[in-house]
Amino acid sequence: MSTFKFVVLPGDGIGPEVMKAALEVLEVACKKHGHSLDYKVCAVGGAGIDEFGKALPDSTVETCKASDAILFGSVGGPKWEHLPPAEQPERAALLPLRKIFKLFANIRPGLLYPQLTDASPLKSERIPDGIDIVCIRELTGGIYFGEKKTWTEPDGQLAACDTMMYRVSEIERIAEVAGNTAMARGKKVCSIDKANVLETSVLWRKTVTEYFKKHFPEVELKYMYVDNAAMQLARDPNQFDVFFTENMFGDILSDEMAVICGSLGMLCSASLGDIKNSLGLKFGLYEPAGGTAPDIAGKGIANPCAQILSAALMMRYSFGQDEIAAEIERAVRDAVCSGVRTGDIAFGIEPVSTDQMKQAVIDRL
Ligand code: NAD
């Protein structure tokens, strides 16, 4: 019998709606195994700005530091769009959280059930068995975090530059995550870079090659240039199984993967680092792939599955509860595949509400 201690950051828009559903599902799944939850709800994003004048209030950070994991909703919305970019909820809350907790690896399963192929913009005959791949993105290095500046050239025109930089240690630690993920799946991994043009990619490829040779000799390692990877993902996503790449390439490819997998309402993610929690497991931040969906917020119709599946990932990585995670994942799959669907994945079926979707998952637990 264990008590799982984590922080809940619902955020804005549909965040609190889908979070409520996820917590109820988690409660039922854990109770079934005799476990209980001990979580604190804190303000973040627009809610943080409204309550404390800051997207990431100090009290929220302190509570996160005293916890074993963060279950995150999503942040932002029209109400805060007038703010300067540096104060916008996403930039001022999510990026610092990744930095503070050194969350360098983003793991996003690209899962599309065969019964949901209609939700994908790809032709169903190309993905008759759905999609089941994993994207791993380096999250705290590369061009987003390198030196940047804007200056005036001698001829008077403005110029700007951003710097992409990677150290061997940063490449090795993401290679380790990719290797472990591949070992737990099909022992196949594709490293994506632009080694025909970029120095960072040449180092990336060399480091990855040596790291896999030494630590994951059983894993079949392939390489692909990022421009080709973008095409291959749209042509035949299942050729990948597990792929991993640097920050900016991963930002773009993970969104491409999200769209071919149908609705953002189904896709979860885990951001992990090397920090260990009080259980000696990985501290992590778990969140849906989508945003705050202002167009449907407050209507009670958002798809809670991505948030529920993010909670399942939290049970797996930060609490070592693989069985509970798998039971939640199975319950979501069963509910969706038996025809219980929110509007984003309904396709001719009468859509259900967030609450009904949640209840269908609970019923199957
Ligand atoms: P979005 O992901 O919020 O919405 C895109 C589309 O997907 C919308 O039509 C929305 O209704 C739909 N959608 C998303 N999640 C859904 C769900 N669970 N169920 C059903 N439909 C869902 O992207 P956007 O409209 O570009 O951004 C809206 C706000 O969210 C912006 O302020 C943006 O900055 C923020 N955002 C936050 C995060 C984050 O917190 N990690 C990520 C992306 C966007």
Side-chain angles (χ1 to χ4, degrees), residues 14 74-77 90 94 264-265 287 290-296 302-303 344:
I14 61 165
S74 44
V75 294
E90 232 184 309
L94 211 42
L264 284 173
E287 60 171 330
T292 57
D295 51 339
I296 56 167
N303 187 345
D344 54 317

Side-chain angles (χ1 to χ4, degrees), residues 48-286:
I49 294 171
D50 289 353
E51 199 178 334
F52 297 97
K54 230 170 147 184
L56 185 60
D58 298 344
S59 54
T60 297
V61 175
E62 290 313 310
T63 312
C64 291
K65 283 183 179 166
S67 298
D68 287 328
I70 302 171
L71 189 58
F72 193 93
S74 44
V75 294
K79 186 176 173 193
W80 305 280
E81 268 165 15
H82 66 281
L83 293 171
E87 290 170 35
Q88 294 268 336
E90 232 184 309
R91 186 157 154 198
L94 211 42
L95 296 193
L97 272 175
R98 287 174 185 160
K99 223 171 174 174
I100 293 167
F101 294 100
K102 300 187 173 61
L103 303 169
F104 63 81
N106 181 252
I107 303 176
R108 187 184 286 189
L111 190 61
L112 175 72
Y113 310 139
Q115 292 83 349
L116 271 189
T117 50
D118 277 355
S120 173
L122 296 190
K123 290 193 184 93
S124 294
E125 57 263 32
R126 293 206 166 195
I127 42 169
D129 302 321
I131 298 171
D132 184 2
I133 59 177
V134 177
C135 166
I136 298 174
R137 166 188 169 196
E138 201 288 327
L139 209 54
T140 54
I143 201 162
Y144 297 165
F145 289 90
E147 198 184 320
K148 48 187 90 225
K149 58 182 178 186
T150 304
W151 68 93
T152 307
E153 293 275 275
D155 67 0
Q157 65 179 318
L158 277 177
C161 80
D162 299 277
T163 315
M164 184 187 280
M165 190 196 88
Y166 272 103
R167 297 179 183 86
V168 167
S169 55
E170 291 170 312
I171 302 168
E172 285 183 342
R173 63 188 189 179
I174 193 78
E176 161 98 17
V177 175
N180 284 328
T181 308
M183 286 298 285
R185 290 174 52 98
K187 296 188 180 167
K188 248 179 73 181
V189 74
C190 183
S191 171
I192 292 168
D193 60 38
K194 189 73 181 167
N196 50 345
V197 178
L198 300 175
E199 283 298 316
T200 42
S201 283
V202 172
L203 181 66
W204 179 282
R205 195 174 278 213
K206 179 175 177 293
T207 307
V208 163
T209 305
E210 288 166 7
Y211 198 83
F212 271 78
K213 203 170 161 194
K214 189 166 172 201
H215 299 280
F216 298 103
E218 289 170 61
V219 173
E220 181 195 330
L221 171 66
K222 284 193 174 155
Y223 314 92
M224 202 177 276
Y225 294 138
V226 63
D227 41 352
N228 185 26
M231 287 192 294
Q232 295 300 330
L233 204 51
R235 202 184 62 81
D236 176 18
N238 286 315
Q239 70 181 282
F240 285 104
D241 203 43
V242 176
F243 67 92
F244 74 109
T245 188
E246 66 87 43
N247 202 347
M248 181 172 61
F249 297 161
D251 190 4
I252 298 165
L253 291 179
S254 63
D255 270 15
E256 184 187 348
M257 185 187 76
V259 80
I260 61 169
C261 284
S263 174
L264 284 173
M266 293 301 298
L267 293 183
C268 56
S269 82
S271 297
L272 306 173
D274 274 339
I275 294 179
K276 297 269 192 288
N277 62 23
S278 73
L279 306 169
L281 297 167
K282 279 182 187 293
F283 183 91
L285 182 148
Y286 303 87

Side-chain angles (χ1 to χ4, degrees), residues 301 335-336 338-353 356-357:
I301 56 169
V336 170
S338 69
V340 185
R341 313 242 175 110
T342 43
D344 54 317
I345 50 170
F347 303 105
I349 293 175
E350 184 64 28
V352 300
S353 66
Q356 288 167 317
M357 187 77 236

